[in-house]
Amino acid sequence: MSNLTFEEQLREAMVDLREQLEADMGYADGKSVFDSEFLLQNFAPLYIRYLIVFKKLEDCYDQVLHPQKRADVRVVLDATIGRMLELKHQLLKHCGDYINYDDVLVDLKLVPEVLEIPIPRYFTEERKRELEDRQKLFNTWGQTDPSPAENKPAEDLSKEDWAPPMDITQAITLLQCNERGRQGRLRAKFMKEIRQQEERERKVLAEGQVECDLHQSATKIQKHFKGFLARKKCKELRLQELEFLGIEFPSGDRLAKETDKLDKVLHRRKLAQQQNQQQLEADRMSTRQEIKDQEGGKLMEDLHDELLEKIIKLKTSADEAYKDKWMEFPSVEDGGSGNPEWMTFGTEPTPEQAAAASAEAAAAGKGKKDSKGKKDAKKGDGKKGKKGEDDADANIEVIPVSKFWSRLHEGTDRYVTVWQDRFKPTDFLQKYDRDLLRAEIMEGPGGLEAELRGHVDALIRVEIHNLQIGLMQGGGKKQKKGKGGGKKGKDKSKKGGAKGDAAGDKVKAQDVYNLCRELYWIKFLPQVPPAKVSDYIGAHNLMAKAEEDAARLGGAGGGQTDEISKKWQELLDRWEADPDQAKVIEKNICMKKEEFQALFEEWKKGNPSTNAGVLFEPSMAQVRQAVTEYCILPLGSQTIRDLVDVPGDDKKADTGKGKKGGGGASQAMTALFYGASLSGKTMMSHAIANETGSLFFDLTPTGPAFADGKYSAPNPIRILLAMVFKVARAWAPAVIYIDNVDCVFTKRKGKNKNPELDKIVKPLKKELLANVKTLEPTDRVLVVGNCKISEDVLKAQDEIMGFFKTCLYFPHPDYASRMLLWTSLVAKAAGAKHGQLLLDTDYEVLAYMTAKCTSGVIANVVSETLTKRRVRRLAHRLLKAEEFLNSLVKYKPVFREEWLMMREFSLKVPFGHPGRRKTAEDLKASDAEDGKGKKKGKKKGKR
């Protein structure tokens, strides 16, 4: 990979982004309206194209060497991610969370792997030093035990199982035995070599051969060695040609070598990138100081003279309206001398400014006239027509203007004007540009000109103050207050909220470092396993769109399903009508009438095309995509967190039942992961922390941190939660993890009642809700809860939905995902050098046998079977599929009762809430609304 490669990729990404931006802005014309069909046809392709541009820009930002170009690419990259998430949020509100893009991919001629969302590498790479220092800090704290009484005695730490002592005679005998054995082995080896040499000489004399001289021996050795090298080279060339043609796949060793070579190239480019960035930062400071020393005095003098001339001109102005304006010099908050309003006092507008002002006035007058005409037209109509038009306008939601369009426009324009013609293919080092550095230092809000202007403004304010004092002493006019001298601001420290108690004040007074160390010692800040989002292995459901269309077209019965239902119902009718025929039917099918009727009812309940279908279940690839969009991207970047609205804040995501919610944490990021045991919920929570470099707090009520009973009273838990949230805000980003979160929101009665757990859960819930409300919209703190679905969870669903904005279901894998899991996990456990260990038919059998099993079950079975010893023995004993059965029988699949409860929970999630997918009932409702809205939509056409 070279600089030219990434420059071409960046240019291609900018061209694609410009085209997408023009198409995107074309929908915000005031005529295009929101509609599920419209969004799927227009915004879904737009979302995928933005995703493709995002991948290209992320690669370029990671590998481009030029530091100033990387800064501009970063702005465009964040804006692209923000606009992509905006489109996803709009699709979520109207089309459901898990959207099937099969038709869109076919139209765009793309593969499903395009939908994989990459996690920007700068989330952790730009904080590499910080993360390394944090890890060293944790290691240091781990070596320091805060409770000396619990330390083990020194003799116990150094105690080992030694062999029984022996006397001197036994030791000498043991040494003699070993030494004599060593000498005997050497003597036997020496005698073997002598016998082999005598045997070779005897054969040469018997065949009458003459011993070759040194030259002939070297010639023979060279011949055989050169032949070996030639055959090896020919074999490698043949293999390379077959790999190039796609006939054969590269071997494990060859693939590993190529991967290592690529990693070395990328590592070398990252080092050069860091060096260029460090050099830019160092030269920026020195260049700024140099310009300030050499040119700062002249710039301040010119600016000072300009402002004095402006003040004199205003003071001597003949216009009474501007005569006293020189005393109203803008304050620092108003921009000082950079305030355009004050600088234009007493000056005639330019032709461009006059034309712009006239255009604004004309537009305002036209708007008033149009609004007046609309009011007159409404007055002429009847009350009924007026009410109908108001309802129609209220139901129409026009596509809004995106806050990222201006950023994308500025970024693409800057690339065209600055970087498009500045690239030099022969510049391999790609150092910074001095002209751009000077312009960056001088201009901008934090530039040198702004700094010098601030000093000059301070001098001007002093001079104006002295002039005002002189006028007052000389009998002039009274002093007027400048714009900066407003009313004193109110003390915002007492704004809102409850009065802080002693525990909260105690936590606020402590240092964050000490609080973090204490949380680490009491096990509420554990070490996170090295999990990644890519470890959640699963395939795309390529038949999802077909299933959704079948539900739309088939209704409650649907085609073949209707025929089966009719035949079974006719059989039941004949069974009831004729007793003689009932005996024949019972004899033929070997089943009683009650059993057959129960089987028929069970079949109707589990039929996918009925209203109680399985359309809500996402694929595992869609779960990865949702976790990345809703949790990782907003948590990893402060820019994305500030500008992108968090899904779930709108009114459509409300429960709508009038029941008390879980706290209404409208500004915080909260996510609920629910599913069967070992479905990947905890691993994905760890992956969020690893991918974003976040602190990981574990507040699991049944975890080891609460086991000692120290935090089982309200006051200690209040202090604990205050500590956790203070450290999380100070050392953001942070993930607050709560496993078995159903214990917090559900009430246990009867056999499930646990008094010890209730002592922890009740105050924990109260303080959790109170502290989450204190989070600001810019705080990068994510609260993640994991749970399994039970009857108690279904009863408390309204309260859970009121607290968690995002609810993501972790399903058990389908057949394609199970095949991918088995092949990848077995290959990873065995290593690349062993190649394919099982046949394809073996993997198919294992995938079929593990139906209804979760991904964690398959991972545990593979790890328990392919131990380190078994992997070492693979060269001597081949792996068989039967070896996995001993571990597989220990685990239970997802039973139907558990699956039905999870389906019921998912179907009760409010539509428009992250985690809710369109079902057959939603499809019917949307079709009915479309039919009703055809007449209303005639006045505003759709694009």
Side-chain angles (χ1 to χ4, degrees):
M1 294 184 178
S2 62
N3 296 328
L4 182 60
T5 301
F6 292 106
E7 177 63 25
E8 292 177 352
Q9 184 174 345
L10 179 59
R11 186 169 302 178
E12 180 182 353
M14 289 296 178
V15 172
D16 295 343
L17 183 60
R18 194 71 177 187
E19 294 177 356
Q20 295 308 118
L21 192 58
E22 293 177 358
D24 192 4
M25 295 178 67
Y27 296 118
D29 54 359
K31 298 180 180 179
S32 302
V33 297
F34 275 132
D35 169 77
S36 60
E37 198 67 28
F38 171 80
L39 291 175
L40 288 176
Q41 291 179 0
N42 298 279
F43 275 30
L46 206 60
Y47 166 79
I48 294 177
R49 293 192 182 100
Y50 271 117
L51 177 57
I52 296 173
V53 174
F54 162 41
K55 292 182 179 180
K56 294 179 181 179
L57 291 175
E58 202 277 329
D59 288 336
C60 293
Y61 180 74
D62 185 67
Q63 290 298 320
V64 167
L65 300 182
H66 202 292
Q68 295 164 311
K69 184 186 291 185
R70 289 185 73 244
D72 291 340
V73 173
R74 171 68 180 275
V75 175
V76 181
L77 174 61
D78 289 341
T80 304
I81 297 174
R83 181 53 185 160
M84 183 189 73
L85 294 180
E86 270 189 349
L87 292 173
K88 181 66 177 183
H89 186 33
Q90 292 169 359
L91 290 169
L92 160 69
K93 290 193 297 183
H94 297 83
C95 305
D97 187 31
Y98 301 113
I99 302 172
N100 301 309
Y101 301 100
D102 304 348
D103 295 345
V104 181
L105 294 176
V106 171
D107 295 339
L108 299 177
K109 299 180 180 179
L110 299 174
V111 293
E113 285 72 18
V114 175
L115 299 176
E116 292 291 339
I117 301 178
I119 298 172
R121 283 159 279 191
Y122 71 83
F123 283 0
T124 55
E125 287 184 355
E126 294 185 355
R127 301 173 55 229
K128 186 176 181 181
R129 180 67 62 83
E130 176 188 347
L131 298 178
E132 290 177 353
D133 294 342
R134 183 202 296 173
Q135 188 61 39
K136 292 178 182 178
L137 202 61
F138 288 169
N139 296 336
T140 304
W141 291 344
Q143 296 173 1
T144 306
D145 198 336
S147 52
E150 299 177 359
N151 290 344
K152 294 183 179 179
E155 58 270 14
D156 293 341
L157 297 176
S158 60
K159 186 176 179 180
E160 296 182 6
D161 296 332
W162 296 98
M166 61 180 67
D167 55 13
I168 298 177
T169 304
Q170 292 176 340
I172 293 174
T173 303
L174 184 61
L175 292 175
Q176 286 179 347
C177 180
N178 290 333
E179 179 63 21
R180 288 170 182 173
R182 186 185 67 83
Q183 294 178 3
R185 287 189 295 272
L186 289 176
R187 190 181 301 109
K189 182 179 178 181
F190 181 68
M191 294 303 297
K192 181 180 179 182
E193 292 177 355
I194 293 176
R195 287 194 298 270
Q196 289 177 352
Q197 181 66 22
E198 292 176 352
E199 185 67 23
R200 285 194 296 269
E201 293 177 356
R202 191 183 303 112
K203 287 183 178 180
V204 170
L205 294 174
E207 295 177 0
Q209 297 180 358
V210 181
E211 187 175 357
C212 299
D213 57 1
L214 186 62
H215 181 71
Q216 291 176 343
S217 300
T219 303
K220 288 184 178 180
I221 293 174
Q222 287 179 358
K223 180 182 71 174
H224 288 286
F225 185 68
K226 289 183 178 179
F228 169 75
L229 291 179
R231 288 190 296 272
K232 182 180 178 181
K233 184 66 175 178
C234 182
K235 185 178 179 180
E236 290 180 355
L237 292 175
R238 179 177 178 274
L239 185 60
Q240 290 179 6
E241 185 176 2
L242 293 177
E243 291 175 0
F244 177 74
L245 296 175
I247 299 176
E248 289 190 5
F249 293 100
S251 60
D253 295 338
R254 181 177 175 81
L255 189 60
K257 290 180 181 179
E258 295 294 333
T259 304
D260 293 340
K261 184 179 178 181
L262 179 62
D263 292 340
K264 290 179 181 179
V265 173
L266 296 180
H267 180 65
R268 187 166 62 249
R269 290 185 65 87
K270 295 299 292 184
L271 289 178
Q273 187 183 95
Q274 294 175 4
Q275 292 174 1
N276 291 349
Q277 186 66 32
Q278 293 173 0
Q279 184 178 0
L280 173 63
E281 296 298 332
D283 291 353
R284 177 184 283 116
M285 297 178 63
S286 60
T287 305
R288 184 186 182 95
Q289 188 63 35
E290 181 181 354
I291 296 174
K292 188 175 181 180
D293 295 339
Q294 295 180 359
E295 305 177 16
K298 182 67 167 57
L299 292 174
M300 291 179 65
E301 183 179 354
D302 296 341
L303 183 59
H304 186 265
D305 295 341
E306 180 184 354
L307 293 177
L308 286 180
E309 291 178 3
K310 179 68 175 179
I311 292 173
I312 294 171
K313 185 177 180 180
L314 289 175
K315 187 177 179 182
T316 59
S317 176
D319 192 352
E320 293 295 335
Y322 297 109
K323 196 169 184 179
D324 295 335
K325 293 293 185 181
W326 64 274
M327 291 186 290
E328 299 178 3
F329 190 78
S331 63
V332 179
E333 292 78 8
D334 294 334
S337 60
N339 191 335
E341 182 180 357
W342 188 84
M343 293 298 294
T344 55
F345 285 156
T347 58
E348 295 183 359
T350 61
E352 293 80 4
Q353 294 175 351
S358 60
E360 291 179 2
K366 184 178 179 181
K368 292 181 180 178
K369 185 176 180 181
D370 293 342
S371 60
K372 184 177 180 181
K374 288 181 180 179
K375 291 180 180 179
D376 295 340
K378 287 183 178 180
K379 288 180 180 178
D381 295 336
K383 294 183 179 180
K384 185 176 180 180
K386 181 178 179 180
K387 184 177 180 182
E389 289 179 3
D390 292 343
D391 294 340
D393 293 338
N395 292 329
I396 293 175
E397 186 178 357
V398 182
I399 296 176
V401 177
S402 173
K403 64 183 74 172
F404 295 100
W405 286 344
S406 60
R407 290 172 173 261
L408 292 173
H409 257 299
E410 292 173 1
T412 52
D413 292 342
R414 179 170 174 79
Y415 174 79
V416 172
T417 57
V418 177
W419 300 111
Q420 188 171 8
D421 300 328
R422 200 179 289 265
F423 177 74
K424 297 178 181 179
T426 56
D427 185 9
F428 300 108
L429 300 179
Q430 294 289 310
K431 300 291 184 178
Y432 69 91
D433 190 284
R434 292 187 177 275
D435 297 335
L436 293 177
L437 179 60
R438 179 180 174 83
E440 178 186 350
I441 291 173
M442 295 298 296
E443 301 172 359
L448 186 58
E449 290 184 356
E451 180 183 350
L452 299 178
R453 184 181 293 274
H455 297 320
V456 174
D457 290 349
L459 294 175
I460 292 297
R461 291 189 185 94
V462 173
E463 294 179 3
I464 291 177
H465 181 67
N466 294 335
L467 287 174
Q468 289 175 344
I469 293 175
L471 289 176
M472 292 175 63
Q473 292 177 354
K477 296 183 180 180
K478 293 184 179 181
Q479 179 182 359
K480 291 187 178 181
K481 294 182 179 180
K483 289 187 177 180
K487 295 182 180 180
K488 294 184 179 180
K490 296 181 180 180
D491 187 8
K492 296 183 180 180
S493 60
K494 300 181 181 180
K495 180 182 177 182
K499 295 182 179 180
D501 54 356
D505 296 339
K506 181 180 178 181
V507 172
K508 291 179 181 179
Q510 295 188 22
D511 184 40
V512 178
Y513 175 86
N514 297 330
L515 294 176
C516 187
R517 181 178 58 183
E518 185 177 353
L519 289 172
Y520 183 85
W521 280 342
I522 60 180
K523 301 179 182 179
F524 284 102
L525 189 61
Q527 297 279 4
V528 183
K532 300 291 183 182
V533 175
S534 57
D535 296 337
Y536 187 74
I537 302 171
H540 293 267
N541 186 6
L542 303 181
M543 297 297 295
K545 186 63 177 178
E547 295 175 359
E548 186 174 336
D549 293 340
R552 178 187 288 271
L553 298 175
Q560 186 178 0
T561 307
D562 278 346
E563 296 297 329
I564 296 175
S565 301
K566 289 179 182 179
K567 291 180 180 179
W568 283 28
Q569 190 62 45
E570 290 176 0
L571 185 62
L572 283 172
D573 294 341
R574 282 187 286 137
W575 206 327
E576 294 176 355
D578 191 352
D580 297 334
Q581 195 172 6
K583 296 179 180 179
V584 177
I585 296 173
E586 184 174 345
K587 182 179 181 181
N588 291 334
I589 65 175
C590 300
M591 187 181 296
K592 293 183 179 180
K593 175 188 173 185
E594 292 77 11
E595 297 177 356
F596 181 80
Q597 194 167 5
L599 179 64
F600 181 40
E601 295 295 332
E602 191 71 18
W603 177 83
K604 288 195 296 183
K605 290 180 181 179
N607 180 21
S609 63
T610 60
N611 291 333
V614 294
L615 282 177
F616 73 92
E617 287 196 2
S619 65
M620 299 181 72
Q622 288 176 321
V623 173
R624 284 197 307 269
Q625 182 181 3
V627 170
T628 305
E629 289 175 334
Y630 303 141
C631 302
I632 295 179
L633 292 180
L635 191 65
S637 174
Q638 187 67 53
T639 304
I640 300 173
R641 178 72 180 101
D642 295 341
L643 296 178
V644 178
D645 297 331
V646 178
D649 291 345
D650 51 356
K651 296 180 181 180
K652 292 184 180 181
D654 192 9
T655 55
K657 297 183 180 181
K659 295 185 180 181
K660 185 179 179 181
S666 60
Q667 305 297 343
M669 289 191 295
T670 53
L672 175 67
F673 297 164
Y674 67 97
S677 300
L678 299 176
S679 58
K681 304 184 295 297
T682 302
M683 185 200 72
M684 193 62 79
S685 303
H686 293 159
I688 294 172
N690 288 324
E691 298 285 9
T692 58
S694 304
L695 285 174
F696 189 83
F697 300 92
D698 191 355
L699 297 181
T700 303
T702 57
F706 287 100
D708 56 358
K710 181 179 178 181
Y711 293 93
S712 58
N715 193 43
I717 291 179
R718 185 182 303 112
I719 297 175
L720 172 66
L721 268 293
M723 292 166 56
V724 168
F725 277 86
K726 180 177 179 179
V727 176
R729 281 191 293 262
W731 288 9
V735 175
I736 299 176
Y737 171 74
I738 308 173
D739 199 5
N740 298 327
V741 75
D742 51 314
C743 299
V744 179
F745 290 95
T746 57
K747 297 180 180 179
R748 288 160 299 281
K749 298 180 181 179
K751 296 181 179 180
N752 299 327
K753 191 172 183 179
N754 189 345
E756 297 296 330
L757 185 61
D758 291 339
K759 292 180 181 179
I760 301 173
V761 166
K762 290 181 179 179
L764 179 63
K765 176 184 176 181
K766 178 182 177 182
E767 298 302 327
L768 179 65
L769 298 179
N771 283 275
V772 167
K773 288 181 180 180
T774 61
L775 294 176
E776 298 294 333
T778 57
D779 290 335
R780 288 190 293 160
V781 179
L782 173 66
V783 181
V784 179
N786 293 356
C787 74
K788 296 186 294 183
I789 304 301
S790 61
E791 294 291 342
D792 295 334
V793 175
L794 292 176
K795 294 178 182 178
Q797 182 171 359
D798 294 337
E799 191 174 4
I800 294 175
M801 294 302 304
F803 180 78
F804 291 103
K805 295 180 182 179
T806 304
C807 294
L808 297 180
Y809 171 53
F810 282 67
H812 55 271
D814 54 7
Y815 178 79
S817 298
R818 294 196 299 272
M819 281 289 295
L820 190 60
L821 276 167
W822 278 108
T823 53
S824 57
L825 292 177
V826 170
K828 182 180 180 180
K833 62 180 181 179
H834 294 287
Q836 187 173 358
L837 299 176
L838 296 174
L839 299 176
D840 293 339
T841 54
D842 294 333
Y843 286 122
E844 292 173 0
V845 171
L846 290 172
Y848 181 77
M849 293 180 64
T850 51
K852 306 301 179 184
C853 290
T854 58
S855 55
V857 169
I858 299 175
N860 290 346
V861 169
V862 172
S863 61
E864 292 174 3
T865 304
L866 290 176
T867 59
K868 293 182 179 180
R869 182 178 181 278
R870 183 65 184 93
V871 172
R872 290 195 300 266
R873 297 281 298 170
L874 287 175
H876 307 283
R877 185 165 63 93
L878 297 178
L879 183 67
K880 296 182 180 179
E882 294 82 4
E883 298 182 35
F884 295 98
L885 297 181
N886 293 330
S887 299
L888 186 59
V889 295
K890 302 177 184 178
Y891 297 95
K892 297 180 180 179
V894 180
F895 292 106
R896 181 173 178 80
E897 292 76 12
E898 185 178 2
W899 178 80
L900 288 174
M901 285 190 293
M902 286 185 286
R903 182 185 64 182
E904 183 178 355
F905 183 90
S906 298
L907 291 176
K908 288 182 180 179
V909 174
F911 186 68
H913 196 289
R916 175 72 152 91
R917 181 173 179 174
K918 270 199 171 184
T919 59
E921 295 179 353
D922 297 324
L923 295 172
K924 292 178 183 178
S926 62
D927 290 341
E929 291 178 1
D930 292 342
K932 292 179 181 179
K934 284 182 178 179
K935 296 181 180 180
K936 296 181 180 180
K938 286 182 179 180
K939 293 189 177 183
K940 292 205 175 186
K942 299 177 184 178
R943 290 179 62 91

